[in-house]
Amino acid sequence: MKFCRFCLLLVVSVAISCLGNDYNNSERKSQSRDPKQWSEKKAWRWYNSQPWLVGCNYLPSTASNQLEMWQADTFEPDTIEQELEWASEIGFNIVRVFLHNMLWEQDSKGFIKRIDKFIEIADKFDIKVMPVLFDSCWNPYSSLGKQPEPKPHVHNSTWVQCPHIETLKNTESWNKLKAYAQGIVKQYKNDPRVLIWDIFNEPGNTNQTAYGHLEPDNKKELALQLMKKSFKWVRELNPEQPLTASVWEGNWKKGDDISALNKFALEKSDLVQFHVYHNPEITSKWVNMLKEYNRPIICGEYMSRGTGNTFEDILPIFKKHRVAAINWGFVAGRSQTNYPWDSWTKEYTSEPELWFHDILRPDGTPYKQKEVEFIKKIIKR
């Protein structure tokens, strides 16, 4: 009997040891696995803990593009502080800002120092930051140093893509894009002042009107590859913030045969993000379509007065469905986004009577006082 009891104890001991080893191995495997997309439950728990997010895509009025915004010689914290104070007075609580890999490669420490300053200023006015890592829009040929003067009366005439088109085409060089993306995210992945990571702005946009003749035929395929890798690079760091990438053209209806770019952005983002510059009817239709994905929705770009997409018409839709609302443009300046898109093909010689984007003049006075009053009122309501 004693021998049998001994054997039984030995078997139990071995079994427990094996179970422990299995558990530890399982834990190690789990920890070594790349972190996955947030669950719907986690995304909603995070989103419901936020106020209604309302803000703008921010570029200082003194900068014509994201390089001019961030380079040491043209970085203007005093301008940023004044303009973010105006944003706070309107009621904005989030700004979407574009970064660039060339700034990281040039001087990563200096770039981080300037980002730190920007985030510090934003936090002073209770404004969260949504950085954009990559961008397919406008000029595919970016360069550091003094930026070209904006073309007179032309919308966003000097904005540049990230990365440079030759870097995008040379996939073997993407290790430096990984270093940039992970370097930025690692710095702020636990910083509550950084609210959301926007991995890729309008991936695959071929900018037909302005730069289509310079774009590679396979740009959409390259953008999809980079977007997939970028999500993986960032998820490896397991940031506390959610990840997103924008859909901006084509069909988005769940279950339909949608493009590979849209499918990845919609199905792999923690928060669904879309851009809309259409009238209220189309905007409502798109919001209801995107609700089928059962995730919080962010509108990362909207508000183009010339297309019937105004604060008065669009913000009530977003308020009703609790869609985060981030309009394009704030203080009119060197980006000239108060001019319409057709300024690339139609000659303008003076400021348009109807502004396309932007809210304030460089001295802080509103383009339309009633518009600003409406924004304040709907945010507080």
Side-chain angles (χ1 to χ4, degrees):
M1 287 293 293
K2 289 182 179 179
F3 179 78
C4 291
R5 262 192 239 107
F6 172 79
C7 290
L8 180 61
L9 288 170
L10 183 62
V11 169
V12 170
S13 176
V14 170
I16 291 172
S17 176
C18 290
L19 285 171
N21 288 336
D22 287 344
Y23 174 81
N24 290 333
N25 289 336
S26 175
E27 280 294 287
R28 281 194 291 271
K29 287 179 182 178
S30 174
Q31 291 169 7
S32 67
R33 240 180 257 130
D34 291 344
K36 302 298 182 184
Q37 177 189 29
W38 282 12
S39 67
E40 292 176 3
K41 183 178 180 180
K42 181 177 180 179
W44 280 112
R45 185 169 62 246
W46 176 90
Y47 193 69
N48 289 333
S49 71
Q50 308 299 327
W52 183 34
L53 298 172
V54 184
C56 63
N57 284 269
Y58 179 72
L59 181 74
S61 59
T62 51
S64 62
N65 63 24
Q66 62 274 59
L67 294 176
E68 200 163 62
M69 174 181 178
W70 293 110
Q71 287 185 133
D73 290 346
T74 47
F75 181 67
E76 295 197 7
D78 290 343
T79 298
I80 291 167
E81 181 158 1
Q82 176 62 84
E83 293 180 354
L84 292 190
E85 183 177 7
W86 292 337
S88 176
E89 289 170 355
I90 290 174
F92 286 171
N93 55 25
I94 185 170
V95 288
R96 184 172 180 249
V97 291
F98 289 71
L99 310 181
H100 204 289
N101 67 292
M102 294 177 76
L103 296 163
W104 174 267
E105 292 159 18
Q106 178 191 48
D107 176 16
S108 60
K109 291 182 179 178
F111 188 27
I112 288 294
K113 185 177 180 180
R114 293 186 289 279
I115 296 173
D116 283 345
K117 183 61 178 178
F118 179 85
I119 293 173
E120 175 189 319
I121 294 169
D123 186 57
K124 178 179 178 180
F125 300 110
D126 296 319
I127 294 174
K128 302 294 186 182
V129 179
M130 178 179 174
V132 184
L133 297 178
F134 297 107
D135 180 12
S136 278
C137 291
W138 301 106
N139 191 343
Y141 290 91
S142 48
S143 61
L144 294 168
K146 182 174 173 55
Q147 297 301 294
E149 283 300 303
K151 297 177 182 177
H153 314 294
V154 177
H155 176 109
N156 243 346
S157 65
T158 64
W159 193 270
V160 292
Q161 296 181 33
C162 175
H164 189 289
I165 199 65
E166 296 304 327
T167 301
L168 181 68
K169 291 192 291 186
N170 180 15
T171 58
E172 293 182 0
S173 71
W174 286 5
N175 61 313
K176 62 183 180 181
L177 298 182
K178 178 181 180 180
Y180 152 69
Q182 291 194 329
I184 294 291
V185 174
K186 186 176 182 181
Q187 187 73 25
Y188 301 106
K189 70 189 187 81
N190 300 317
D191 192 328
R193 301 171 302 173
V194 174
L195 194 65
I196 302 163
W197 291 107
D198 192 341
I199 303 298
F200 211 136
N201 177 63
E202 299 197 357
N205 193 327
T206 55
N207 308 285
Q208 286 304 310
T209 301
Y211 297 101
H213 61 292
L214 299 176
E215 300 280 22
D217 293 338
N218 65 335
K219 184 178 182 182
K220 291 184 183 295
E221 289 77 11
L222 291 168
L224 177 60
Q225 289 181 50
L226 180 56
M227 182 162 58
K228 287 181 175 180
K229 286 186 176 292
S230 301
F231 267 78
K232 182 176 184 297
W233 297 335
V234 175
R235 289 206 194 281
E236 284 175 359
L237 300 175
N238 196 22
E240 292 184 358
Q241 306 93 340
L243 278 53
T244 188
S246 52
V247 292
W248 56 280
E249 70 165 358
N251 180 24
W252 308 334
K253 186 170 178 59
K254 189 171 186 179
D256 280 7
D257 184 18
I258 63 177
S259 72
L261 275 168
N262 286 346
K263 183 178 177 64
F264 185 87
L266 290 168
E267 294 183 357
K268 300 301 180 181
S269 291
D270 301 319
L271 316 174
V272 167
Q273 183 192 167
F274 77 112
H275 297 172
V276 61
Y277 291 111
H278 294 286
N279 61 37
E281 291 73 25
I282 293 176
T283 301
S284 293
K285 177 183 176 183
W286 286 1
V287 168
N288 285 312
M289 185 185 300
L290 292 172
K291 287 173 75 173
E292 296 177 4
Y293 289 87
N294 198 30
R295 287 183 175 273
I297 301 172
I298 300 173
C299 182
E301 293 183 21
Y302 78 100
M303 212 290 288
S304 49
R305 298 178 186 89
T307 65
N309 188 286
T310 66
F311 287 114
E312 292 88 345
D313 287 334
I314 302 301
L315 273 180
I317 298 170
F318 292 161
K319 178 90 171 182
K320 175 183 176 181
H321 296 282
R322 204 165 182 269
V323 172
I326 307 173
N327 72 278
W328 189 274
F330 185 50
V331 182
R334 283 172 62 79
S335 69
Q336 300 176 161
T337 53
N338 55 334
Y339 287 80
W341 294 321
D342 71 6
S343 58
W344 280 89
T345 56
K346 176 182 175 182
E347 184 179 4
Y348 286 78
T349 57
S350 61
E351 176 184 294
E353 183 178 350
L354 180 67
W355 279 18
F356 197 67
H357 300 314
D358 300 327
I359 302 171
L360 304 180
R361 298 184 183 279
D363 65 359
T365 58
Y367 163 63
K368 288 185 176 182
Q369 183 63 42
K370 287 185 177 180
E371 186 179 71
V372 169
E373 290 171 0
F374 171 81
I375 298 169
K376 290 180 179 180
K377 184 176 179 180
I378 195 170
I379 291 174
K380 289 181 179 179
R381 195 165 64 208

